């Protein structure tokens, strides 16, 4: 969520989309993720009990694995950690390219689960929070269902005209007045996150960022309502045929151009830290003892702490 110094390529500048038809710009499956994304090995800005490794280390330790239509990133699940040493090995990926208005569709089979886990699929501008952040899939400690969130500077609110199936957990997106909480919509169904998501074989997450705001949809794998263009990852998609999103952040009272810049796409898995590790949250989520001690001492608890992504498509 915090800006990091990183080299990036301004691959795609803003295209003003008037309709709701979007054309495929990029497609990632298996090994292609290693071309389009880089591993970020730096310390977690949210103070997690994590050690992000570089690509060579990740491949060598099989924390990153690409084959066919499987792209897997995971945490170490065999090492008992020295309490005075670095945190649990894990992976954080960022896209090489940046995106203005766009649509992403993620076909995800499995996501990290377990006490202490804090996984996220999200997008952000390097000059954080001035260029904004969009969290698509995020949560902690297997708690409840997914939350989609915007983080911005002042004068971005999304009350009033929200047309969404989710539950609003805040309408002011300003990180400074909300203690960094931002504005959130929670998915109404448990299978949008963690163990229930995984038991179902995952599903499809889609996000649209346009002049009209941001919308996020989720269809579980066994849903009868997955749009044809989403299910097949067609070259052209029409977001107006996708039904009501679970999260709707209209631009009515949030000027998109002044709050959102070029975004990198990121996928990461941290432990404990500023959300998952807060004792009142960690214990309320039914997790035992102290988060950091749990992560240090119980490698086997993280055997299911992995993403398995079938594909990602990006439309502009
Ligand atoms: C992981 O992603 C979430 C997305 O919201 C972000 O808040 C958090 O800072 C990220 N953690 C790290 C260590 O990058
Ligand atoms: C590496 O990880 C993949 C995906 O989790 C798994 O299928 C494969 O068997 C692992 N390879 C080794 C050598 O452990
Ligand atoms: C809400 O969004 C859906 C999907 O785009 C649309 O069909 C419906 O008419 C919208 N409802 C309102 C009240 O705007």
């Amino acid at each position: 969520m915090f800006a990091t110094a990183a080299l990036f390529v301004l691959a795609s500048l803003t295209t003003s989309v008037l309709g709701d038809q979007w054309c495929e710009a990029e497609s990632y499956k298996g090994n292609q993720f290693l071309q389009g994304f880089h591993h970020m090995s730096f310390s977690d800005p949210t103070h997690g009990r994590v050690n992000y490794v570089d690509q060579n280390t990740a491949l060598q330790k099989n924390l990153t694995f690409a084959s066919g239509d499987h792209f897997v990133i995971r945490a170490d699940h065999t090492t008992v950690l020295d309490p005075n040493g670095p945190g649990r090995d894990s992976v954080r990926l960022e896209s090489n390219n940046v995106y203005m208005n766009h649509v992403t569709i993620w076909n995800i089979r499995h996501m990290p689960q377990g006490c202490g886990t804090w996984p996220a699929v999200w997008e952000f501008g390097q000059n954080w929070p001035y260029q904004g952040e969009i969290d698509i899939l995020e949560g902690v400690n297997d708690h409840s269902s997914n939350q989609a969130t915007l983080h911005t500077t002042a004068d971005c609110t999304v009350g009033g005209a929200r047309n969404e199936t989710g539950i609003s957990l805040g309408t002011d997106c300003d990180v400074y007045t909300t203690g960094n909480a931002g504005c959130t919509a929670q998915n109404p169904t448990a299978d949008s996150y963690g163990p229930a998501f995984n038991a179902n074989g995952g599903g499809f997450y889609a996000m649209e960022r346009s002049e009209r705001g941001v919308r996020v949809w989720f269809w579980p794998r066994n849903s009868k309502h997955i749009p044809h263009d989403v299910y097949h990852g067609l070259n052209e998609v029409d977001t107006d045929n996708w039904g009501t999103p679970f999260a709707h952040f209209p631009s009515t009272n949030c000027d998109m151009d002044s709050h959102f810049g070029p975004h990198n796409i990121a996928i990461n898995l941290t432990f404990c830290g500023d959300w998952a590790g807060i004792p009142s949250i960690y214990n309320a989520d039914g997790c035992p003892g102290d988060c950091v001690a749990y992560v240090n001492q119980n490698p086997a608890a993280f055997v299911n702490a992995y993403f398995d992504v079938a594909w990602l498509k990006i439309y502009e």
Side-chain angles (χ1 to χ4, degrees), residues 1-2 42 44-46 50 52 92 118 120 122 133 135 138 151 268 270:
M1 70 172 57
F2 295 99
F42 71 137
D44 179 357
T46 53
V50 74
Y52 286 125
R92 174 183 164 127
W118 175 1
W122 56 303
E133 170 180 334
D135 300 330
E138 186 181 21
H151 298 265
N268 64 346
T270 189

Side-chain angles (χ1 to χ4, degrees), residues 105-130:
I105 304 176
W106 292 85
N107 179 353
I108 303 176
R109 295 189 187 89
H110 189 282
M111 64 172 290
Q113 66 177 73
C115 278
T117 56
W118 175 1
V121 174
W122 56 303
E123 310 192 347
F124 69 104
Q126 295 290 329
N127 187 9
W128 191 95
Y130 301 96

Side-chain angles (χ1 to χ4, degrees), residues 19-23 103 105 208 212 215 217 219 227 229-230 234-243 315:
D20 304 289
Q21 300 272 137
W22 300 79
C23 294
V103 165
I105 304 176
E208 175 189 59
R212 299 187 305 174
R215 300 192 282 180
W217 292 261
W219 300 275
D229 49 6
V230 170
L234 297 186
N235 293 338
E236 282 183 32
V237 295
D238 185 345
T239 54
D240 263 4
N241 293 333
W242 291 358
Y315 300 83

Side-chain angles (χ1 to χ4, degrees), residues 62 65 72 74:
N62 205 29
F65 170 83
V72 176
R74 63 161 68 248

